[in-house]
Amino acid sequence: MTERARLVLMLAPTVALLAGLFLGGLALAALRTVGIVPLAGRFDPTAEPWARALGAPDVLASIGVTLWIASAATLVATVLGLAAALLLRRAGGGRLMTLLVQFNLTVPHVVTAVGLLWLLGQSGWIARIGHGAGLIDRPADFPVLVADPAFVAVILAYVAKEVPFVAVVTLAMLAAVGTGPAETARSLGASRWQAFRHVTWPLIRPGVLAAATVVFAFVLGTYEVPAVLGPSHPKALPVLAYQMFTSNDLADRPAAIALSLVAAAIGVACLMAVRRLMSGLPTLKVAR
Amino acid sequence: MSAVDLAATKPADVAARTGRTGIRARTARIATGALIALLLLPFVPVLLWSVTRGWFYPAILPPALDLAAWGVVGSPESGIPAAVLRSVGIALGATVLSMLIGVPAGRALGLHAFPGRRWVEALVLAPLVVPPLAVAMGLHAVFLRLGLAGTATGVMIVHLIPTLPYVVLVSASVFSRFDPRVEDQARTLGASRLQVLRHVTVPMLAPGLAVAALFAFLVSWSQYGLTLLVGGGQVPTMPLILNQYVTAGRSDVAAAIALLTVLPGLVALVLSARILARASRRDGEGGR
Amino acid sequence: MTDVVLEGLTKTYAGASAAAVAAVDLVLASGTLTTLVGPSGCGKSTVLKLIAGLLPPSAGRVLIGGRSMADVPPERRGAVLMGQDHGLFPHMTVEANVGFGLRMRGVDPAAIRRRAGEMLDLVRLSGFETRRPSALSGGQAQRVALARALVVDPAVLLLDEPLSDLDPELRLEMRDLIRSAQRATGITTLFVTHDREEAVAVADRTAVMLAGRIAQQGRPDAVFERPATRAVAAFFGIGNILDARFDGRTAVTALGCLALAADPPPGADAVVIRPERIGVAAEGAAASGGNRCAATVVDLGYRGTHVVATFRADPVTLTAAISSPIAAGLQPGDRVRLHLPAEALHPVTD
């Protein structure tokens, strides 16, 4: 067997499966929104689903809050994740501490969301502690953090989940860069902060930004967190799209797909950004 | 700026500096501890709810120990034991399939340069960055037609979209640290292709591939949106059942389910840390 | 110009049973180049990190210019470390790399450019200012690293195996460049290497480090020719070690009584002789004087510049480096007479 044939055999199943399921699903979805359903042999091109999707009440508000959630969660998670990685390293990075930081990474989103529901709700655990401390009297005195218009609990759920992700990526980047460059900088007269600012940070920045982009795209498309913790109005994009998809009016279906394609399109843009960032990471390239 | 000037520093200044550096490691440990506490805070009400009932505002601690929730979790009528089996089955199936399909592709990407490599990389990365909602909606009609919608098999297949890329990426990084010349070496020492695989390749790569499998299992186990869309509510996995009990107001049962849902992640985290620690110890000894 | 003094410097890593660096006393005289030579793992790189302040010592202290560095952070020591992988910052141009130290000190940009230019000139890399490290050859990168170290006018330059990643020709060129730059700037330098020849070729002084301790220090030729201990002798490739008792200037060995040129130090229990100092003559050749013994040729190994000959002089085996013409007349099994000149025989302690 030639080298070439072996390579093709090794790659073919993965490529076929992802092309079939992922690209195929995406293509069918896109066709459906313009009135083409290959399986049913239907071909009546129309822009009606898009008009319906974008014209539906709350859609613009929905896209707006979704971008707000994704931006806020990404910003906070990236800053805290970076801080967590640097703190872990500064603290000597004990195994138990590292494991505890990573723990949330393994927790399904829905569990974190439910935990925050019981923690931050108006009769939740923190409100009860507030009552115990004499700060509030009735649940209504506690600030609305769950199902609130600012999506505070939703954002915090993503932060709790994604801080470990950013921290793990940052730790891997720090390990790949090693302590050499910073030590060289120190011996050339840079303070601890200058060595980080001018040498270590520029070297790990692409990886950290790539992680942040992945977090952003992920938040855009996750259903269960806003479903558990978000308000009923306006809804996050995935929740709105799912409800339209399963509504009794079958005409809503193509419109729902159009909405989820909006999220997918932002995701594709994120993918290209991630690939650009990762091409600047010689240490992490898999090819020899 | 002569050398002596550089070395000469006011003693007070020096003391202030080192004083601060000395405290910093401890401060870092405290700050990391605080961050970990914040990240784990959502699990406090989950833990408390799992061992009580009728725990109302403003009680900070549960009024009494009540393990009724665990009785419900264990009883067949609740459907929870079946959900555990269903979730485990789907996750195991998705893991085995993605390992069989993805490890060869990981080897190709980890060890070889070939034309079109960029596209394969992009295709593998895409499902991790692009929100899957549109993909699942596009596939929905096909799955309906094939009789896969609303079945565990259909859910397992659609779980391959996120699990397969994880397996490919993790195994690519495992293979990129593998020197295939040891295989040639084994061949020249008289091992057959199969013997090489059995005695050289697999033992060397086993730890990394085990971690890939653990990842794949967890990714499938945690899925929510894809399961909901393709399963159409007829394939209630653990995350879905959890939300059902939350909506139904049975916080105690929901908490017990949440703990069960977190368990595999905890096990996987500890296992993968062990596996990787042992592997790095072994490699370290081999290098000496 | 500054001298550097290490006093009882000790470093034990957490969890390690033995000290990586054990009570090292060493003086680097102002403006000199000292080599610290030893096998890999002997703790010599740790010494550099301790001087640079990148590791805290377990005991002892470092004085730079007479001032204790105990509480001085790395950036205030003026001790610049240059490692074997050049350590250039990959995201900066050559000029930004060279100017880095000055930038950290807040020197104004015009002055940085000028000084960086001068230093690149010194290492003969003018015109490379805007290149990235990835576009440099190994030798060029190492020269940039040298310029980057010199530009801050360090109190002490710490070189950690700076030549070990280079090709043989480049090594010689870079070695000479380091030596001439060091002479030109008069910067006190500590040069760490495992290469014996390199250690004695560039140094004003050489210190031999074995298992965390300084086993011997002195002028390079003295260390090379007159090792103080068996271990130092073995490190410098002297296999000819004869157990001995001493009676005044006479060593009583398995080969009989050998005359020495000087009194042995107290505690000496063996004599050594470098392979190239052993004389070889045909068995019947007229020879006078002592320190001669009969031997049989066991093996002859051609080494290009010389031949390594192994002789059996019961009950010991001796190795000599002899010239090709002499070797041409020999064959394994031949009987010869070896001459161990008194001035080349050197007593060592255990």
Side-chain angles (χ1 to χ4, degrees), chain B residues 1-4 6-11 13-15 17-18, chain C residues 2 67 69 71-73 75-77 102 105 152-155:
Chain B
M1 175 183 36
S2 86
V4 185
L6 280 177
T9 333
K10 279 190 246 90
D13 186 20
V14 167
R17 264 172 175 279
T18 40
Chain C
T2 321
R67 178 179 288 275
M69 291 290 117
D71 292 326
V72 182
E75 68 269 25
R76 302 284 193 94
R77 294 189 176 202
L102 298 177
R105 289 164 173 78
V152 298
D153 192 14

Side-chain angles (χ1 to χ4, degrees), chain C residues 34 60 181 225 245 249 281 292 320:
Chain C
T34 304
E225 297 283 341
R245 277 187 305 107
R249 289 191 175 182
R292 281 168 212 275

